[in-house]
Each structure stands twice: as structure tokens, then as C-alpha cells.
Amino acid sequence: MAARLLRLHGHGAAGQLYSIFNSKFLLQYSTTAVATTCDPTHFLMNYLVDSLGFSKEEAITTNTKVTRLKPTENPQLVLNFFEQSGLDKTHIGKIVSAVPKLLLCDVDKTLKPKLDILHDLGLCGSDLVKVITGSMSILKNTEVSDMKSCVSYLRKVLGSDENVMKAVKKKPCLLSVKGCERLRTNMLFFQSIGFSDEDIKKFIVQNPYTLLACPESVEDKVDRLKKDFNISQGSGMFIHGVDVLISMKKATIDTKLGVFRDYGWSKWDIIKLVQLLPYCLRLSQKRLRAALNFYMGELGLKPAYLASHPTLLMFSMKKRVLPRLELMRSLVEKKLYDEDYNLYTILLPSDPKFYQIYVLPYKDMIPDVCELYNKFQQHGKAEK
């Protein structure tokens, strides 16, 4: 329909009137009136293409989503409001593309009060856009009073607007009634199993998904952590195990465990690994297999050793492992270092510390290898 409207514009005698049916309403369009009366559909199409850089196809799709609902002059009012709120064309384009129905909202009753709430939290620019596009229902469906209640609750739990902003940026649905209800339910459960208010605050700020998961699923995952991996509530890794398991689907966890079994790991090897560093389960299958192929296939390390030194699996092959081992190989070849060096001791230090201990003392003796190490480092960072 929008495409037909564009074809009609610019043709025919002045004053000729076109009648175009679109769903349930009749849009009257006059070529002589364009200069003085801004038709909302015509305005929106032009704005999307000329101001926001939409292709004609994207503009037609967005326009259709808006105009099929009801005839309205709101799109122009909403777009003007976004501009007056300090959002640039790029920001507005992202919002309109992600949530075109916002163009039908009432500015004074819906958009302005809600954007004021977000602005009060310190959200602006790209952060504001991230929140708006991250949860389509917040600006369109959540009542202003409910949004204010959610913000008040989060301020009470998290202690500052800065923490509220950090959490909301990661999970905008915290500003919805459903999100706050789940948060309350899961907080009560975590408190019942011994988590402190400070622990819960860290969860919400750093990984709010943990407390926004389905309450039944949360309880099941915590129960599995205790039964399948023998991690008790008193363990320092319990809180990290909860974080990892809740953030993953059961099928995904089982698939990751299957990877270890494929390489001959026993049940107890896997339990040991998870007890020491549950975050290993978040590694992709591809990365897990690459690490196991290298450590077990090329270096000959056993599952028991890797289970006792799980950090090895977390290290980047390209950024850390390969550059360091290449340097050590050269040092050994030139009789500058004992070939029986401890792998874990070599890979564990931070980059600055490793450079200070293993690179600088030998830079005059093997400058080419030091240069190669630096190149490996830069190449790895570029591929991160």
C-alpha cells in the first residue's frame, strides 16, 4: 500500500484526489495538499527513508506494521518527541526498526513519563536505546505506575541508581511487573538456602538472568548442583555453580558433559572439574574440543590433571597458550630453560607478569622469538 502511495505521488493534475483503502480505514490523499498538510503515512515513509536511512523495502515493512492497526497522526509526534529527547537518527532508527508499534503510542500519556523514569536512572543515548529495544513491552504495555513501582523496588534492593541502571541495561524486563514478581520469588528462595543480601545484589547487577529464571527451574538446578556435582551450600563455589547452571538449559549442560565423556573422562573427573570451576561448562563445544584435543592429544595430559587444573581449559589458545609455549620451546632449544618446566606455572600468570618473567630477561639473546611472541599476542587480540 505504501509503495502504491509513493507511485501515485507526483503524478496527475493538481487538486486530483486519490482514495486508498488500507485495512479498515480510508486514507484521503491530495497531491495539492502535500505541501501544507502532512499525511502521516506519507510523512512516515519519507522520514524512514530520508532521515533514518531505511531502504524502501524496510520502510514499507515498518509502515505496514504501523498503519495496519489504525489511522493516526502519532508517528510524526512520536518521532519528533524522540528527537527532542536527545536521541540521534541512528538511535531512533534502531528503536523504530525493533519496536515499530511505539510509533502508535501517546507521547504525553505513555512515552514521556516512561522516558523520564529511564532518564532519572541515568540512561541516555545508546544505553537508553538498548533498554527500549531489549524489552518491547516496557514502553508500550507496562503501566507508568507499575514501572515506577519496579524502579522503587529495585532501588531498595540494589541500593543505588547506578546499580539499578547496570541491572536494567542487562535485563530491561526488570522494569515489568512479571520481572519484578520473579525477582521477588527467586530472592526469597535464595535467602532460604543461605545467600546473603550482598550475594543476591551481585547476582542482580552482574547476571540478573539468574533471578529472572522460572522459579521451578531455579529450584531444580540448585537441587542438581547438590546431587549431581556434590557441591554443598557451604562451598565457596556453590554460588558460582548456581549462577552457571541456572543460566544454561538442561540439554546444553548434558551436551557439555557428553563432550568430556567423549574424551574418556570419568564421572568423578567431571565432578572434580565442576566443583573447582563450574564456569568451564559455559565454554562452547568447539572451544572445549579444541582445548581437549590440544592438551590431551598433543601434550598427553590426563583427565585427572585437567580436572585438577580447570583454568587451563579457560585460557585462549591463540592469545595465551600457543604464544607462550612457542616462546618456551625456543628457550629450551637454546638451553636457556629446563625442558621439564611446569605447564600450569607457565600459563597461569597474567600477560604483564609473564612478559616480565619469561620474555624480558631473554630479549637480547633471542630477539626474533620475542618479536614473534608479541606478534602472536597482537594477532590473538585481534581475533578475540
Side-chain angles (χ1 to χ4, degrees):
M1 183 60 66
R4 184 183 172 194
L5 180 58
L6 289 175
R7 289 197 300 269
L8 288 173
H9 177 47
H11 295 280
Q16 183 178 358
L17 188 67
Y18 295 96
S19 297
I20 303 173
F21 286 91
N22 189 355
S23 301
K24 298 180 180 180
F25 67 94
L26 185 65
L27 174 65
Q28 298 294 331
Y29 178 82
S30 173
T31 56
T32 58
V34 171
T36 56
T37 304
C38 189
D39 163 61
T41 300
H42 178 78
F43 165 81
L44 181 57
M45 286 292 297
N46 279 351
Y47 189 93
L48 294 176
V49 174
D50 298 337
S51 298
L52 301 185
F54 280 40
S55 68
K56 285 189 176 182
E57 291 74 15
E58 291 171 334
I60 290 171
T61 300
T62 301
N63 182 67
T64 301
K65 289 178 182 178
V66 174
T67 57
R68 73 156 57 116
L69 298 176
K70 59 179 181 179
T72 177
E73 294 182 0
N74 274 352
Q76 183 173 359
L77 299 177
V78 171
L79 292 168
N80 289 340
F81 169 70
F82 283 149
E83 287 187 358
Q84 293 163 7
S85 298
L87 296 172
D88 61 29
K89 303 294 186 184
T90 301
H91 294 148
I92 297 173
K94 289 180 179 179
I95 293 173
V96 172
S97 179
V99 201
K101 290 182 181 179
L102 286 182
L103 295 175
L104 299 175
C105 290
D106 186 291
V107 170
D108 293 325
K109 293 182 179 179
T110 302
L111 293 182
K112 188 179 185 306
K114 292 180 180 179
L115 251 65
D116 285 345
I117 294 173
L118 298 178
H119 283 145
D120 287 344
L121 288 175
L123 290 163
C124 60
S126 58
D127 288 338
L128 180 62
V129 174
K130 185 176 181 180
V131 170
I132 294 173
T133 58
S135 182
M136 299 185 185
S137 65
I138 287 186
L139 286 191
K140 190 170 191 308
N141 299 327
T142 304
E143 296 292 334
V144 174
S145 58
D146 290 334
M147 197 168 171
K148 287 181 177 179
S149 297
C150 289
V151 170
S152 296
Y153 176 69
L154 290 172
R155 280 172 169 154
K156 180 180 179 181
V157 172
L158 300 179
S160 70
D161 281 359
E162 182 182 2
N163 284 338
V164 175
M165 182 174 67
K166 288 179 180 178
V168 168
K169 280 165 58 177
K170 292 178 180 177
K171 276 293 179 180
C173 62
L174 282 168
L175 296 176
S176 68
V177 173
K178 182 178 179 180
C180 276
E181 287 176 350
R182 279 199 171 182
L183 185 66
R184 287 190 183 97
T185 301
N186 286 328
M187 279 183 61
L188 290 174
F189 172 69
F190 281 130
Q191 288 168 345
S192 74
I193 61 176
F195 281 22
S196 68
D197 290 344
E198 191 62 30
D199 288 335
I200 294 173
K201 182 190 295 186
K202 287 180 180 178
F203 263 138
I204 300 173
V205 173
Q206 296 174 5
N207 186 18
Y209 176 84
T210 304
L211 279 95
L212 288 171
C214 171
E216 292 77 14
S217 175
V218 169
E219 295 188 27
D220 289 344
K221 298 287 182 61
V222 171
D223 188 54
R224 182 178 187 183
L225 189 67
K226 297 176 183 177
K227 292 182 177 179
D228 291 2
F229 301 105
N230 299 335
I231 302 180
S232 66
Q233 292 177 202
S235 166
M237 277 295 142
F238 183 72
I239 187 171
H240 301 290
V242 169
D243 183 25
V244 170
L245 261 63
I246 290 177
S247 68
M248 300 172 65
K249 295 180 180 179
K250 180 181 183 301
T252 303
I253 297 171
D254 292 340
T255 299
K256 301 290 179 64
L257 300 180
V259 171
F260 289 105
R261 295 190 191 99
D262 290 344
Y263 285 82
W265 286 48
S266 69
K267 172 184 175 181
W268 303 112
D269 291 329
I270 296 173
I271 289 176
K272 180 72 171 179
L273 175 86
V274 177
Q275 287 177 337
L276 291 178
L277 193 60
Y279 292 106
C280 285
L281 294 179
R282 280 186 177 164
L283 294 172
S284 67
Q285 287 190 61
K286 181 179 179 181
R287 187 168 172 181
L288 266 181
R289 292 188 183 278
L292 294 173
N293 282 336
F294 179 75
Y295 289 125
M296 298 181 68
E298 296 189 31
L299 301 186
L301 299 181
K302 302 299 182 183
Y305 182 84
L306 290 173
S308 299
H309 300 80
T311 313
L312 291 174
L313 299 177
M314 304 293 291
F315 294 147
S316 167
M317 284 289 162
K318 291 182 178 179
K319 283 186 60 179
R320 195 185 199 106
V321 178
L322 296 180
R324 294 189 182 189
L325 294 187
E326 176 65 18
L327 176 66
M328 297 309 297
R329 181 188 63 78
S330 297
L331 292 178
V332 170
E333 284 181 352
K334 294 180 180 297
K335 310 298 183 183
L336 297 173
Y337 213 89
D338 190 339
E339 64 180 347
D340 293 327
Y341 63 83
N342 185 295
L343 176 69
Y344 191 66
T345 302
I346 297 298
L347 296 180
L348 187 60
S350 65
D351 285 338
K353 191 172 183 179
F354 177 84
Y355 198 83
Q356 183 179 13
I357 297 174
Y358 298 102
V359 179
L360 289 180
Y362 307 101
K363 66 177 183 177
D364 294 330
M365 291 173 274
I366 48 172
D368 55 328
V369 176
C370 293
E371 183 179 347
L372 180 62
Y373 172 75
N374 289 332
K375 286 183 179 180
F376 262 117
Q377 286 287 94
Q378 294 303 318
H379 180 69
K381 290 177 181 177
E383 292 191 356
K384 185 178 180 181

